[in-house]
Amino acid sequence: MEIEVEGERYQFDWREAAILLALYWARFNALTLARLRAIEEDYTKVRSIIENLEQRGLVETVRLGRFAVAILTEKGKRVARAIEEEARKSGLLRKQN
C-alpha cells in the first residue's frame, strides 16, 4: 500500500498497515507488543516492524514494567487515518453506522 500524507509518501506492507490501524483504533492509541502478535505471531518480527515504524517517526515505544508498549505519534495518527480512508475507498473496510 502506498499513500501520501502532508506531501510525504509512505509505502507499507499489510502487516505495517494493520499494526498502524490496530494502534489507531485502540484506546489511547497504544497496545503492548504482545497484543500485536494477533497480527504477526512471531514476536521478533513484531519488534522489527515496530522499530521500522519508530525510525519513520510513526510510533514510539515505552517500557511499562516488563511490557513494551507501542504508541502512535501525532504523525502516526495522521498516517493511520489516511490508511483507514484508503481502505474504505477501496472497499476493504465498511463505513460504520
Side-chain angles (χ1 to χ4, degrees), residues 65-78:
R66 59 188 194 129
F67 298 102
V69 178
I71 306 167
L72 276 182
T73 62
E74 289 303 316
K75 181 179 177 181
K77 290 176 191 175
R78 291 189 297 273

Side-chain angles (χ1 to χ4, degrees), residues 1-96:
M1 164 181 267
E2 188 173 320
I3 61 167
E4 186 173 329
V5 178
E6 298 174 356
E8 200 169 342
R9 296 193 75 70
Y10 297 92
Q11 183 89 28
F12 299 108
D13 68 18
W14 73 267
R15 287 177 190 87
E16 292 169 323
I19 285 173
L20 288 170
L21 285 175
L23 291 168
Y24 184 63
W25 293 332
R27 189 173 194 173
F28 307 114
N29 301 122
L31 291 169
T32 64
L33 271 55
R35 290 286 262 183
L36 294 172
R37 289 181 65 201
I39 295 167
E40 170 54 64
E41 190 174 313
D42 184 340
Y43 185 82
T44 304
K45 288 181 183 176
V46 170
R47 183 76 219 155
S48 177
I49 292 167
I50 292 297
E51 286 172 1
N52 179 292
L53 295 172
E54 267 188 299
Q55 290 171 357
R56 295 156 85 179
L58 303 174
V59 172
E60 295 176 358
T61 56
V62 295
R63 300 282 312 172
L64 294 175
R66 59 188 194 129
F67 298 102
V69 178
I71 306 167
L72 276 182
T73 62
E74 289 303 316
K75 181 179 177 181
K77 290 176 191 175
R78 291 189 297 273
V79 170
R81 189 176 310 116
I83 291 170
E84 181 182 52
E85 289 171 11
E86 190 61 35
R88 284 195 200 292
K89 284 181 198 173
S90 65
L92 293 172
L93 292 176
R94 287 182 277 168
K95 203 168 203 163
Q96 292 183 333

